[in-house]
Amino acid sequence: MTAVPSGPAFSVHDIPFSTYGSWFDISPVVAERTYAEDLHLVSHQNGMHAVLRLIPVDPATGDRAATRVEATPGLLSWIGESGHVDLAYESPDTVRLRGSSLGVGVLAAAHALTPFSGTYFFHDPAADAHVFTSYETGRRYRVTVLSGTIADTAGGQVLGSSDRGLTVTAQADGAWEIAIEELGTSRPPYASAATFDDIVRSVRGAFADFADAVAPWRSSATPAAELAAYVAWSATVRPTGLVTRPAVLMSKHWMDKVWSWDHCFNALALAPGCPELALDQYHLPFDHQDDSGALPDSVTHSEVLYNFVKPPIHGWAFGHLRRRLSRPLDQAELAETYDRLEGWTTFWLTARRAPGAELPYYQHGNDSGWDNATTFDPERVVVAADLAAFLVLQLHELAALAEALGKPDEARRWTATAEQTQTALLDQLWTGDRFVARSAATGDTWNSASLLDMMPIVLGEHLPGEVGSALADRVKAHLTPYGLATELTTSPHYLADGYWRGPIWAPATVLIEDGLRRAGHQRLADDISARFRALCETHGFAENFDALTGTGLRDRAYTWTASSYLLLAEAHAHRESR
């Protein structure tokens, strides 16, 4: 039998160990920027909640054993001097653990149990299993001993504060095995004919198939491609709660939502190899589109937030998506997207344009996706150039869809609106060498040192040549050895870990690289792509990166960063092969 490749090794401090479809992961990251000593089973149902602590145990003393943790797709191991504990996903809701010469403690992460919080623990005689019930997740976690000995239990049926859980160790042959399931109210007692090694081979095979689908072009010249694929694959959850489709969460750390512009980059990366999953990513926020046509700010298992929106990059994204999909879209699919994009565009043209105004406005930096960018320092309710540019591209995509659907009058109307919006953008916000922002209330204008002010380069071929060249020159000023700083590093407002006030971000990189390329600035686009790819290959797939050191910041396993790497690496590989 040919061995299935184990896949890339990774640190669980940076990337959680999980599997496609699961709503939980195994990680020391138990809350925002919070790292525990032990690995935990962390659920993302009803929020992010550390439910169980998993502790390697010295069977001779019952104390925590000194181990190192190793992880590859399909297998997580605690390795000590005298033995090991292994963990693998049998299914999205079940993990199997086995050990040799080391035991394992499975304990509730929460010490306190109140009438409204914490974890209750008991032995269920019907299933002959031990069960943890979590108030926070609303789920049960059932532990079934398949072989070995229960060396200790604590806190069974205890209320209030207590340790709760069990310790499993080996019988005379030195081996033991358990299953942990995440379930609802009840299911039949655990049973499986699969061996642990069979499970590992199956998961590794599933991941290998995914990596081959999304990155068949990978080579030694794109060394982070397989790990990028794992970040996306392992962050995918099955439809549950308010998540209407298979969804690639932004992370299975604390950024465990789908935000309504982040999803576009995941859709684009998946399109050639996993077209149905890509379309699911694109449409998921639209499943929650409100009556005004607005998309929610974010969607996750148990909440949909509408207090902010995100920028209308969806026309730009869908244009690329149509070209990248490995199958053509039929008329019904085009019509559905057209209706959804029409509603989203109409929202910006009505609810977000002041009476008599030609350009729309943001109500807060959060609406732009660049939450605290210095563009929003003077005021928050702002007519911004990036917004108008994205809307122009969305209007052009609506015109193209209308043509494909046999609606020439609507196509002409959308094209005319696009041209009017671009004319207003250049007349009202272009000063001759840069774009400015304008107060929606007073009409006052200002500029900033934010890369956001250069974002109209996304218009690419639609821009007058002199405007594109001036923007390209300004973009160059933001380049560091690692990529595009979101605030000029010479700015008094620059902060190394300032969110959108300095760090390098994937979406800004992809949007600007694409716009520059379409505007004819190939060399600069190549340079930006190369620097960002090298950044990811060295520092991983963090939410953002220190612009001067390259260090990954914030959430360290962010899927839009991984997907942006895949997009840029694929395009580079194809250019090199010509």
Side-chain angles (χ1 to χ4, degrees), residues 38-39 53-57 63-65 78 85 103-107 167:
D38 299 308
L39 297 189
R53 284 186 294 145
L54 304 174
I55 305 170
V57 172
D63 297 331
R64 177 186 284 105
W78 294 258
V85 175
V104 69
V106 182
L107 302 174
T167 301

Side-chain angles (χ1 to χ4, degrees), residues 381-467:
V381 184
V382 171
V383 178
D386 70 298
L387 172 55
F390 291 139
L391 199 58
V392 168
L393 293 179
Q394 192 151 293
L395 289 159
H396 282 303
E397 184 60 23
L398 277 170
L401 286 170
E403 286 285 358
L405 292 167
K407 300 179 177 183
D409 291 344
E410 293 187 26
R412 285 189 288 271
R413 175 168 62 88
W414 293 125
T415 298
T417 306
E419 292 170 351
Q420 292 162 8
T421 303
Q422 180 163 325
T423 297
L425 167 64
L426 294 170
D427 288 348
Q428 298 176 29
L429 300 182
W430 179 249
T431 66
D433 66 344
R434 68 182 305 151
F435 282 103
V436 295
R438 191 181 74 213
S439 166
T442 68
D444 293 342
T445 61
W446 60 85
N447 56 52
S448 75
S450 175
L451 184 65
L452 183 62
D453 295 358
M454 276 94 257
M455 195 52 69
I457 193 66
V458 298
L459 285 168
E461 70 277 14
H462 300 289
L463 281 173
E466 66 275 12
V467 176

Side-chain angles (χ1 to χ4, degrees), residues 259-521:
W259 275 269
S260 292
W261 71 309
D262 309 43
H263 69 112
C264 291
F265 300 90
N266 289 335
L268 291 174
L270 294 167
C274 301
E276 305 313 317
L277 185 60
L279 288 167
D280 283 333
Q281 302 324 297
Y282 183 81
H283 280 290
L284 193 152
F286 285 96
D287 292 346
H288 297 279
Q289 192 168 19
D290 72 12
D291 291 341
S292 73
L295 297 183
D297 185 32
S298 63
V299 179
T300 192
H301 173 268
S302 53
E303 68 175 19
V304 179
L305 300 182
Y306 291 93
N307 52 326
F308 295 106
V309 293
K310 284 293 176 277
I313 70 165
H314 301 80
W316 168 86
F318 192 71
H320 283 294
L321 189 64
R322 288 176 69 191
R323 290 185 286 274
R324 289 180 56 77
L325 285 169
S326 55
R327 68 166 180 85
L329 297 175
D330 61 32
Q331 290 290 291
E333 290 172 312
L334 293 175
E336 178 186 37
T337 304
Y338 178 79
D339 290 344
R340 290 177 159 198
L341 270 181
E342 180 180 29
W344 180 218
T345 305
T346 300
F347 163 80
W348 288 101
L349 295 175
T350 55
R352 290 298 181 89
R353 284 202 300 191
E358 295 176 281
L359 297 176
Y361 59 85
Y362 292 128
Q363 293 178 344
H364 187 280
N366 289 0
D367 286 343
S368 75
W370 295 52
D371 308 359
N372 67 335
T374 53
T375 299
F376 300 98
D377 278 2
E379 295 184 28
R380 259 59 63 198
V381 184
V382 171
V383 178
D386 70 298
L387 172 55
F390 291 139
L391 199 58
V392 168
L393 293 179
Q394 192 151 293
L395 289 159
H396 282 303
E397 184 60 23
L398 277 170
L401 286 170
E403 286 285 358
L405 292 167
K407 300 179 177 183
D409 291 344
E410 293 187 26
R412 285 189 288 271
R413 175 168 62 88
W414 293 125
T415 298
T417 306
E419 292 170 351
Q420 292 162 8
T421 303
Q422 180 163 325
T423 297
L425 167 64
L426 294 170
D427 288 348
Q428 298 176 29
L429 300 182
W430 179 249
T431 66
D433 66 344
R434 68 182 305 151
F435 282 103
V436 295
R438 191 181 74 213
S439 166
T442 68
D444 293 342
T445 61
W446 60 85
N447 56 52
S448 75
S450 175
L451 184 65
L452 183 62
D453 295 358
M454 276 94 257
M455 195 52 69
I457 193 66
V458 298
L459 285 168
E461 70 277 14
H462 300 289
L463 281 173
E466 66 275 12
V467 176
S469 294
L471 287 175
D473 288 341
R474 290 193 173 275
V475 166
K476 286 179 192 175
H478 285 260
L479 266 178
T480 76
Y482 302 97
L484 290 170
T486 46
E487 180 82 3
L488 284 175
T489 58
T490 55
S491 164
H493 304 295
Y494 173 85
L495 293 170
D497 187 11
Y499 224 48
W500 292 94
R501 302 170 81 92
I504 295 165
W505 285 79
T509 301
V510 168
L511 287 160
I512 287 176
E513 192 266 1
D514 174 67
L516 286 167
R517 206 171 287 286
R518 290 187 291 107
H521 299 277

Side-chain angles (χ1 to χ4, degrees), residues 17 26 54 74-78 85-89 95-98 180 196 200:
F17 182 79
I26 309 299
L54 304 174
L75 182 65
L76 173 71
S77 297
W78 294 258
V85 175
D86 298 326
L87 182 149
Y89 276 83
V95 289
R96 289 262 287 268
L97 289 87
R98 70 177 179 186
I180 304 177
F196 191 94
V200 173

